[in-house]
Amino acid sequence: MDEQLFFKKLNSFCTSKDIFDFLISVEVMSDTMASGALQRISEVEVDDSGLKNPEEVLENDVFRALCFQFEFESSKLSNTGLLNALQALIKLRIDPQSTLISSLLSESEERLGKGQLTVKNLCALGESLLELEGPGCAMLQQIVNHMQERDVEKWSPREMVMVYKMLQVSVREGEHYQDLLNRLNSVTLAIVPQLSPKFTSIILNTLVVLHETQAVPLITALCKHSVKHIPYFTDDELVNVLEAFLYFGRSEQIFTETLETHVPKSIFTMHPQIVCKVMQYCCQKMILSKPIFDAVAEGLISDADRFTTDQIAECIIPFGILNYLPPSASSLFRKLETILYTRLSHFQPHTLLNLLHSCVLMQRYPVNFLPKIFSPYFLQQLQAQPPGLNRIVTSQLTQLFLTITLECPFYEGPKLLPKYRVKTVVTRHGSEDVHLLKRVKTGLLYLLKKRIYFASEVSTPYFYTVDIEIKLDEEGFVLPAAQCEEVHRRIALCVDGQNRFCVNSHNLLGEEAIKQRHLRLLGYEVVQIPFFEVQNLQNSTKMAEYLHKKIFPHTYGLSC
């Protein structure tokens, strides 16, 4: 039978039975046709869980006859027939130690050593070896060494992707192929628009594994190209793409907008791992995407049981960090409370602390679980596991203690022992904007005339540092910052630069929001100076006028 007609008929069959019936009717087959038949069988009979009907395939007389021919006539096979058969049999889960696989591998290795394999052959063999033996296969090194001698510009996209996968393993094994990698990166840049979702994901994943931070043009092109593939990536592929965005510090607005369309449509079928990775992307980039956060909340409410406790925490914590309550907040926190009651022992200590701390950032108070957090045994568990009781962890514990003291006066359980409390709470997000603080101080000096009338970066007895503090007496006169007597009012200026807000938003981050809330409860008059209100003020006079209206709105003139 003509090969073209053979493959056309072969590819029309969807079960191994139909394929075997068809093969019986073919009197003579080339080795290419026979290996193609094995490949088609592997396509229809193998899924993610393995071989669907092992006995029907492996015990079939036609299949056994094909295997016999390949095993005992391997030296007579064409390169294509040999390597396609090897690929198909590995996918069909034939025992790697069997004489059949050993025979095909031995013949492949002999031809590799003699330099008889084309680039296409080398890639097919490399793919089989990765599937069969994984990292550490000596033959892979030989293949990559041969590839170094070939002209990269003549390779197909599939061949280039296969070399990336082999390089990923080879470099991890300690080999160095930077010259080949540089040539590959350069040629790949030109074909990025042609890459499929699968190929885009594989290349990005390889660049992450190989720490290719210098390949900026290629990384940029791949990240932009990945946008159009978002609806078509598998969950694993999308995880790779998101990890690349995180690793290389990329944040494309159109990528986020496309996710905002994709996630709400797919949330109930998305694997929990990809949901977590999307939330990690938003959180790390400080992107408050309400469509994504609302969808994730609905997904957890609907079916939290399919998420592990770590995954539940990874999905909830960004809500606190970015200071956002979804419309379904009441249902979400009822669901979370149920999870905590039924699966509390499943949470790792640091994960549980991060989760409960995130809740108080959103003014949701887990008072029923705080006795556990403040217990000596739990604190010992925190100490024993990385990162231990570092400044961040003790700051979270201190903030939980301060929260129940100020916001939950009805709480009567154990409190955090003084030795675990920090003097000043450290925040992980939203560091001080030095330039903006300097501008505000210059404006205050212009307004108050003397530097003695305000203090900056003031440590309070209440675990927080105030950006700028102004003291007033009973009649409203400004007092010297160093004076401690006759202080009737304390004004805390919170100079909130851009990094204390979500990206492209006026939404204050959770750690800054709780700080300002607590300062008010501690008796301070909190005056927020957000960057977006002062960024266009051109000089000190304008800044002083703004600060006068903001700090002393009812005062015509100032007396110090």
Side-chain angles (χ1 to χ4, degrees):
M1 182 183 289
D2 172 68
E3 276 200 10
Q4 191 173 358
L5 177 61
F6 173 85
F7 281 109
K8 185 177 180 181
K9 285 193 171 186
L10 179 67
N11 291 327
S12 69
F13 298 120
C14 297
T15 67
S16 59
K17 182 181 183 305
D18 290 339
I19 295 171
F20 290 135
D21 289 344
F22 168 61
L23 294 178
I24 291 170
S25 71
V26 181
E27 293 185 9
V28 179
M29 276 188 288
S30 67
D31 65 345
T32 308
M33 294 160 72
S35 64
L38 289 177
Q39 285 194 310
R40 184 58 186 162
I41 293 167
S42 72
E43 288 169 5
V44 301
E45 289 293 341
V46 177
D47 58 21
D48 291 340
S49 59
L51 190 56
K52 289 186 278 190
N53 303 298
E55 288 187 9
E56 288 182 23
V57 175
L58 304 181
E59 300 300 322
N60 183 278
D61 290 341
V62 176
F63 180 79
R64 292 164 72 93
L66 286 173
C67 290
F68 184 87
Q69 292 287 106
F70 279 110
E71 181 177 345
F72 292 102
E73 298 187 9
S74 60
S75 62
K76 299 178 184 179
L77 300 173
S78 66
N79 286 343
T80 301
L82 171 69
L83 297 168
N84 284 355
L86 180 61
Q87 271 188 322
L89 292 166
I90 289 170
K91 286 180 182 173
L92 287 165
R93 309 295 199 270
I94 302 300
D95 181 5
Q97 306 302 320
S98 67
T99 54
L100 170 59
I101 297 294
S102 297
S103 174
L104 295 177
L105 279 175
S106 177
E107 181 63 30
S108 300
E109 187 170 19
E110 186 176 332
R111 296 186 194 188
L112 174 64
K114 292 178 179 178
Q116 295 175 350
L117 302 181
T118 66
V119 168
K120 186 176 181 179
N121 297 153
L122 290 168
C123 289
L125 179 56
E127 188 170 5
S128 295
L129 292 171
L130 286 172
E131 183 80 22
L132 188 65
E133 301 188 38
C137 175
M139 230 194 300
L140 271 179
Q141 312 296 344
Q142 286 181 265
I143 294 172
V144 177
N145 288 335
H146 278 284
M147 299 302 281
Q148 282 197 109
E149 301 165 7
R150 308 299 174 95
D151 186 355
V152 177
E153 294 187 1
K154 294 181 180 178
W155 299 351
S156 70
R158 180 180 180 80
E159 290 161 353
M160 294 168 79
V161 167
M162 199 61 242
V163 175
Y164 270 115
K165 289 177 75 172
M166 289 189 286
L167 280 172
Q168 186 177 140
V169 172
S170 301
V171 172
R172 276 193 300 200
E173 292 295 314
E175 299 296 326
H176 299 286
Y177 298 100
Q178 194 60 49
D179 177 63
L180 174 59
L181 188 55
N182 290 343
R183 285 188 289 139
L184 195 56
N185 289 344
S186 177
V187 175
T188 302
L189 180 59
I191 65 159
V192 166
Q194 304 169 35
L195 296 175
S196 67
K198 181 179 179 180
F199 289 175
T200 303
S201 171
I202 290 171
I203 296 172
L204 277 172
N205 178 244
T206 301
L207 295 175
V208 169
V209 171
L210 300 183
H211 312 297
E212 277 294 285
T213 53
Q214 302 304 310
V216 176
L218 177 58
I219 293 162
T220 302
L222 286 168
C223 286
K224 288 183 177 177
H225 179 64
S226 67
V227 172
K228 73 176 186 179
H229 289 320
I230 285 178
Y232 311 108
F233 285 124
T234 65
D235 282 348
D236 287 342
E237 289 165 0
L238 187 51
V239 165
N240 286 341
V241 172
L242 286 163
E243 284 178 343
F245 268 78
L246 291 166
Y247 182 79
F248 294 117
R250 304 294 306 179
S251 181
E252 305 284 345
Q253 185 173 347
I254 189 167
F255 181 82
T256 306
E257 290 171 356
T258 309
L259 279 178
E260 288 178 340
T261 303
H262 175 66
V263 173
K265 289 180 182 176
S266 314
I267 190 65
F268 298 111
T269 56
M270 289 174 84
H271 191 279
Q273 183 189 10
I274 187 64
V275 179
C276 294
K277 193 59 67 174
V278 169
M279 291 301 279
Q280 184 187 348
Y281 167 77
C282 290
C283 191
Q284 195 164 313
K285 300 296 178 186
M286 297 299 170
I287 298 168
L288 175 53
S289 168
K290 293 182 180 180
I292 291 175
F293 277 51
D294 292 350
V296 170
E298 292 293 342
L300 285 172
I301 292 165
S302 171
D303 192 9
D305 289 342
R306 66 193 186 100
F307 290 74
T308 66
T309 50
D310 280 350
Q311 289 170 340
I312 289 166
E314 286 173 33
C315 289
I316 296 284
I317 288 169
F319 284 88
I321 291 173
L322 301 189
N323 189 28
Y324 177 66
L325 283 172
S328 58
S330 58
S331 298
L332 176 63
F333 285 99
R334 276 199 302 273
K335 172 64 76 172
L336 178 59
E337 188 172 22
T338 302
I339 292 166
L340 287 169
Y341 273 120
T342 56
R343 300 164 69 181
L344 188 64
S345 61
H346 297 178
F347 284 90
Q348 293 297 311
H350 285 280
T351 302
L352 182 60
L353 176 61
N354 286 330
L355 177 60
L356 298 187
H357 179 256
S358 183
C359 290
V360 302
L361 296 182
M362 295 179 280
Q363 294 180 270
R364 292 297 184 271
Y365 310 112
V367 289
N368 293 329
F369 307 100
L370 290 178
K372 178 182 176 70
I373 297 293
F374 295 146
S375 72
Y377 176 68
F378 185 81
L379 294 169
Q380 286 172 6
Q381 288 182 304
L382 289 175
Q383 177 85 64
Q385 296 180 8
L389 289 172
N390 66 10
R391 285 288 303 281
I392 296 292
V393 173
T394 49
S395 290
Q396 289 178 316
L397 289 167
T398 303
Q399 215 157 31
L400 281 171
F401 162 73
L402 196 55
T403 297
I404 59 166
T405 303
L406 296 174
E407 301 183 67
C408 307
F410 52 85
Y411 175 78
E412 296 179 351
K415 303 286 180 70
L416 183 67
L417 294 174
K419 68 177 182 178
Y420 295 110
R421 302 174 198 168
V422 293
K423 290 183 178 179
T424 303
V425 168
V426 177
T427 57
R428 290 176 295 174
H429 312 93
S431 58
E432 182 184 276
D433 185 331
V434 177
H435 177 67
L436 178 59
L437 186 62
K438 185 177 179 181
R439 286 186 62 212
V440 171
K441 288 197 286 187
T442 302
L444 273 177
L445 185 59
Y446 193 91
L447 177 66
L448 301 176
K449 310 306 181 193
K450 291 183 180 180
R451 182 66 178 80
I452 63 168
Y453 290 117
F454 64 92
S456 59
E457 298 173 87
V458 179
S459 294
T460 71
Y462 313 110
F463 315 113
Y464 289 115
T465 298
V466 174
D467 294 329
I468 295 174
E469 184 183 58
I470 298 172
K471 298 174 180 177
L472 306 178
D473 67 12
E474 193 169 357
E475 295 180 12
F477 292 113
V478 180
L479 298 170
Q483 185 170 326
C484 297
E485 299 83 20
E486 300 179 2
V487 178
H488 186 67
R489 293 162 57 198
R490 293 177 187 267
I491 298 175
L493 266 61
C494 294
V495 183
D496 294 329
Q498 209 158 350
N499 53 0
R500 288 184 181 174
F501 293 86
C502 300
V503 169
N504 300 324
S505 166
H506 294 174
N507 196 77
L508 206 58
L509 295 177
E511 288 179 326
E512 188 60 26
I514 194 174
K515 172 185 170 180
Q516 295 182 18
R517 192 166 77 240
H518 284 176
L519 287 173
R520 287 189 182 93
L521 291 168
L522 289 163
Y524 282 89
E525 294 179 27
V526 175
V527 177
Q528 190 186 14
I529 311 293
F531 75 95
F532 50 84
E533 289 184 0
V534 299
Q535 59 189 359
N536 294 324
L537 300 178
Q538 302 299 323
N539 52 48
S540 298
T541 306
K542 295 287 186 185
M543 178 64 85
E545 290 174 0
Y546 165 83
L547 292 171
H548 187 174
K549 292 176 184 175
K550 194 84 177 181
I551 305 169
F552 308 104
H554 307 299
T555 308
Y556 177 72
L558 284 178
S559 299
C560 299

